[in-house]
Amino acid sequence: MRVAPLLLLGTAEAFVAHQQDARSLLSSLTAKTICTFDGDDFAGDVGDWPYSAADLGRLDSTVDTSFYAEPRFVTHIDDGAIKALTEFYSDEFKRIDKESLDVLDLCSSWISHLPPNGEVKYGEVVGLGMNEQELAANKALTSYVVQDLNENPSLQFEDDSFDVVCNVVSVDYLTQPLDIFQEVHRILRPGGISLMSFSNRCFPTKAVAMWLQADDIGRLTIVGSYYHYSANWSEIEALDLKDTKQAPERPSPADILKNPSLGLAWMNAAAAVAQSNAGDPMYVVRGIK
């Protein structure tokens, strides 16, 4: 479809105004609650671990140190998902009533997607990951630990050490999630938050079997169950960080004939909505101690 002639047939004001609406739409991503989990949502009580070795098995069962031996200085989610996650972190961190925050980034890499220091004031920001070169390149970290959580799920920190524990697109690789979520609960301070985020990408040979068999809602439930069965969390909530926008209503042919600029304005608005809705989804399951 040719669109340039439409500008000649109508006013420029409608086009400019709609471009402004499109920019506003793209910058208004907000987290929305999908559901909250309570004890009645699960078949068992805390400690009644329901998953088998087959559920947590992987196509590639070799040790992860070999798989992650070479550094990968890449991002595993697209720019829209990164933006949504960083904005969500900023909102979450600002709600914590503390002068500075101590943060543990589990399964960390060369980038943590945290809001910059200054926008949020940090104390300690510790990264725990598999590749030392990646961790050393992460400018957000004040220190780091090289550790394979699937070989050693114990965290070398004192009780009540952190205000926030986060994990980005790696919860699907954990083969001992019960131990790890118990440890996360232990090291969080009272009222502290755990943020487990994921998208729809993964290394399929390293993700656990039940993750590969689940859809997005099923995966939210899996992570929610990790919280539930591991400890007494005060709140467990699943959130969608990329708010899906509704496409604008198309003007009638009669309206377009009267004011052809409406057609171009509608096409630009529809394209902005499609761009906003496209790309990687981004979900978080938040646990509050």
Side-chain angles (χ1 to χ4, degrees):
M1 178 182 294
R2 296 179 65 191
V3 297
L6 292 175
L7 276 178
L8 303 177
L9 295 173
T11 61
E13 285 81 0
F15 174 69
V16 172
H18 214 90
Q19 282 198 316
Q20 292 171 341
D21 289 343
R23 285 194 294 269
S24 175
L25 183 150
L26 290 174
S27 64
S28 61
L29 299 175
T30 55
K32 62 181 178 181
T33 298
I34 297 174
C35 66
T36 56
F37 295 103
D38 58 36
D40 295 336
D41 294 320
F42 303 98
D45 297 324
V46 176
D48 296 335
W49 188 243
Y51 299 119
S52 66
D55 293 326
L56 296 167
R58 301 185 295 176
L59 293 173
D60 178 2
S61 59
T62 59
V63 293
D64 292 332
T65 48
S66 299
F67 186 82
Y68 294 102
E70 293 298 320
R72 294 180 175 90
F73 293 104
V74 298
T75 54
H76 299 285
I77 48 177
D78 66 20
D79 290 344
I82 291 172
K83 179 176 183 289
L85 181 61
T86 302
E87 290 178 353
F88 173 73
Y89 279 163
S90 181
D91 290 343
E92 286 291 297
F93 294 175
K94 288 173 183 176
R95 290 192 186 103
I96 301 174
D97 187 19
K98 287 198 65 177
E99 183 178 341
S100 63
L101 298 179
D102 295 319
V103 178
L104 173 62
D105 185 20
L106 281 183
C107 305
S108 188
S109 180
W110 69 279
I111 187 170
S112 295
H113 310 306
L114 300 173
N117 204 341
E119 180 179 328
V120 175
K121 188 173 181 181
Y122 299 105
E124 295 296 318
V125 180
V126 182
L128 186 151
M130 294 283 294
N131 187 283
E132 186 166 10
Q133 287 176 266
E134 293 177 5
L135 294 168
N138 190 330
K139 296 179 180 179
L141 305 180
T142 58
S143 63
Y144 62 81
V145 177
V146 179
Q147 182 175 336
D148 181 353
L149 289 174
N150 288 337
E151 289 294 309
N152 175 19
S154 298
L155 301 177
Q156 54 182 284
F157 309 105
E158 299 294 328
D159 295 357
D160 306 336
S161 294
F162 294 96
D163 303 295
V164 178
V165 175
C166 50
N167 175 285
V168 181
V169 296
S170 295
V171 67
D172 44 330
Y173 304 129
L174 301 179
T175 61
Q176 300 188 63
L178 175 61
D179 302 272
I180 293 167
F181 275 67
Q182 287 173 336
E183 283 287 272
V184 168
H185 188 271
R186 178 184 66 79
I187 65 172
L188 276 173
R189 295 176 178 131
I193 58 174
S194 168
L195 303 171
M196 300 284 167
S197 63
F198 66 89
S199 185
N200 59 0
R201 300 194 202 185
C202 69
F203 297 118
T205 59
K206 283 298 185 180
V208 299
M210 63 180 177
W211 191 270
L212 298 177
Q213 297 162 6
D215 59 13
D216 288 345
I217 295 299
R219 291 167 178 173
L220 290 166
T221 305
I222 288 170
V223 181
S225 73
Y226 288 172
Y227 282 110
H228 168 73
Y229 290 113
S230 65
N232 289 306
W233 297 85
S234 65
E235 182 181 311
I236 306 169
E237 182 177 11
L239 302 110
D240 184 352
L241 301 193
K242 293 188 68 177
D243 190 20
T244 301
K245 305 296 182 182
Q246 294 296 319
E249 184 177 353
R250 181 174 182 172
S252 69
D255 288 337
I256 293 176
L257 284 174
K258 291 177 185 177
N259 185 357
S261 63
L262 291 176
L264 182 58
W266 172 80
M267 286 191 293
N268 278 277
V273 169
Q275 181 181 351
S276 174
N277 293 341
D280 296 337
M282 201 68 210
Y283 305 105
V284 167
V285 184
R286 175 178 57 205
I288 301 177
K289 181 173 176 177

